[in-house]
Amino acid sequence: MAKDVLDIKAESAVMDTDKMWIIMGPQHPFSHGLWTLKIQVDGEIVKDAEPIVGYLHRGWEKEAEARSYPKIIPMADRLCYAASMTYTHLFCMTVEKALDIDVPEKAKYIRIVADEICRIQSHLMWLAAVGTDLGNFTVFLWCMREREFFMDLNVRLCGARMTTNYPRIGGVRNDTTELFDRDVMRCVERFEKVLMDDIVTLIDDSSVFVSRMKGVGYLTREQTVNLGITGPAMRGAGVDFDIRRDDPYDNYDKIDFDVPVMTQGDSYSRYQVRIEEMLQSCKIIRQAVQKVKALGKNAPYRLKVPSNVPAGRSTVRLEDPRGESLMYLISDGTDKPYRLKVRSPIFTNVSAAKPLVQGCRIADVPVVMAMIDMCLGETDR
Amino acid sequence: MVMEFLKKYPYDENIPRRTLWIMKPFVVVSKLFVKAVIHRDVAILYPYEDLWMPDNYRGRPGLRFEKCISCGICVRMCPTSCIELVEVLDDAGNTVKRPQINLGRCAFCGYCAEYCPVDAMTVTPEKELAEYTREDLIYGPRRLACDKINKNMEVHLEETLMSDIKNGNSERRVNAFMTDRPILDSSKCISCKKCEKVCPVKAIKMIEHGVNAKGRPILWPEINKDICVCCHNCVDDCPKSALHMDEVL
């Protein structure tokens, strides 16, 4: 009897199995957006991976060259649906640097509030996606429910939910509306409680979900730096760098907050960094709203800026919810940019697909790739 | 500063093996269950009831027909070029030009309302815009009218001048329509009268400044700076670029 059964362990050492390429995407439940991940598998183990992006290329950078500066702001909204506020903010900061103007204090603080609302909303969108990737639909529904409150704050602030079109070159579109500060405080207070008591409990107290994330998708600190990964994915691997703190733009240097850094470098640490970042964003929002309130109602919030930008180059970077996004503007003295380059954090982060999923099992690929929070609008541009 | 989450759930190499972990989600979910039993449904029965919308909600663009001066700033500022000026009959029977919007292309950015010098364009709270054909999505000037426009929907361009902040006069609000005016470089002017024709508010008058070598009168535009709304039409249409906008900063 025993002779008939093959000794699998001994056999597999000498048996040469064929490697197979599996194509996940562009229409695949795990790929959040239109992108393809080709993985090479040996049995169940992933040996190689190759991301393919470009299905959503719209010629954004070329289109921007044919538009006057204010007209690019609604386009920058559409770079990423979850991070519309930060991309508009980034574009406005780039043009402001080219114009060499200083934005009023109030506008800076309102932009911080708007950015952090955007960050929380983007991270919630990511958490919802992770929930479905791990098979927990309750997490998805509850994150979407919480996200609605922040969407409502966006409507209160500027009248639109997603494509906000709010920052302007030289300030913001409108002053904070009546009772906005009260709404923000209530919303943030409620969110902190719900996130800690409900949503996180569902994930962190359950060994099923933790074991899916813990110990998979390891990246070392050196690998992270060499691959150019930025954002929460980088901080989860022990690189202590946040542009908000280390190269502050607007008034982030006047605000007290912590940057969560984990040293383990697996999927779970990236998850933890993002959850903690949401709670830190709540702290930032509280302080910034108080600062806006202290500046008074009549403080200026928008500067009148010249329509022609003097010839030159300017580069500005900003801490996007997903990482470090950068815009590089070459202006030629007219009211249209000569060249506008966007550095999208995800385009670089997705190139880490191979070291991330190497050695994982096929079932782990969705959750490992979900930890870099794909957004294809900004990647393909 | 304390990191609330990382303190409560520190990274532990061992995966938690709590015996009662399976009950915890049930407890959390049961809170919502009790809430839903006692209170009403969480979902909104959409066609029968509607979400509450704030006053400044940015829906489709609207137009106040009688306020419009057909300056074309909305056409110039529209990022998707979905606005064009069309000729319609006004209440008195005269042919006038008014914006027509293709909502199939509209990005709902609100620029037309923001940059309108006379607040004729506004945003409206209307959001149910589904139609059966693409042609139905083209809203003519009369169809753009909306009676739900409230005061908060008039987005005003309230800008502060950099010079005002330097002088400590930071509470003053201006916009380009109040401050910027076109300036003539008379050496380039060829007296073509084009600027006079395109001016929507008739702020430009051609004034005679002597006779040229061929015996024809030299006409230079004179701009009435009180009426001008800084619509850039004369600057854009000048064939010799004799006019340029003087931006007050």
Side-chain angles (χ1 to χ4, degrees), chain A residues 141-256:
Chain A
L141 288 176
W142 288 10
C143 288
M144 290 312 241
R145 183 190 69 197
E146 291 316 306
R147 188 165 169 262
E148 277 306 299
F149 289 96
F150 289 94
M151 291 288 202
D152 285 351
L153 283 185
N154 270 351
V155 184
R156 287 291 272 166
L157 187 60
C158 55
R161 282 159 53 88
M162 295 236 293
T163 44
T164 46
N165 192 18
Y166 184 60
R168 289 284 183 278
I169 301 160
V172 290
R173 175 177 177 257
N174 54 291
D175 205 348
T176 50
T177 46
E178 225 179 308
L179 299 178
F180 176 72
D181 44 350
R182 184 203 65 177
D183 289 352
V184 171
M185 290 299 191
R186 279 185 186 176
C187 184
V188 162
E189 219 132 278
R190 183 190 176 283
F191 171 68
E192 275 182 332
K193 235 166 70 192
V194 170
L195 181 70
M196 283 306 289
D197 293 353
D198 296 358
I199 301 175
V200 159
T201 318
L202 278 185
I203 300 173
D204 283 73
D205 275 349
S206 155
S207 55
V208 171
F209 299 111
V210 174
S211 61
R212 287 293 302 278
M213 290 190 281
K214 214 174 248 180
V216 293
Y218 273 110
L219 269 192
T220 62
R221 205 171 155 215
E222 286 72 28
Q223 267 180 321
T224 315
V225 174
N226 289 339
L227 287 164
I229 298 173
T230 46
M234 169 185 74
R235 288 191 283 278
V239 185
D240 192 1
F241 182 75
D242 189 317
I243 300 170
R244 289 178 290 169
R245 187 195 60 197
D246 300 323
D247 183 15
Y249 49 93
D250 279 1
N251 272 350
Y252 271 107
D253 46 345
K254 292 178 187 166
I255 280 174
D256 184 24

Side-chain angles (χ1 to χ4, degrees), chain A residues 16-84:
Chain A
D16 192 28
T17 47
D18 273 352
K19 294 190 181 79
M20 180 171 59
W21 281 98
I22 295 181
I23 295 176
M24 294 173 132
Q27 302 292 340
H28 190 270
F30 112 88
S31 61
H32 309 289
L34 288 169
W35 70 294
T36 304
L37 183 68
K38 276 168 74 181
I39 51 172
Q40 193 191 37
V41 288
D42 184 4
E44 181 77 1
I45 310 293
V46 180
K47 292 282 176 195
D48 195 359
E50 189 187 328
I52 300 167
V53 294
Y55 295 102
L56 209 61
H57 180 68
R58 292 152 292 170
W60 194 95
E61 286 171 7
K62 192 69 193 168
E63 178 66 38
E65 288 166 19
R67 284 159 184 257
S68 60
Y69 287 100
K71 281 195 203 176
I72 300 173
I73 298 175
M75 270 174 68
D77 265 339
R78 283 150 179 86
L79 270 175
C80 175
Y81 70 97
S84 57

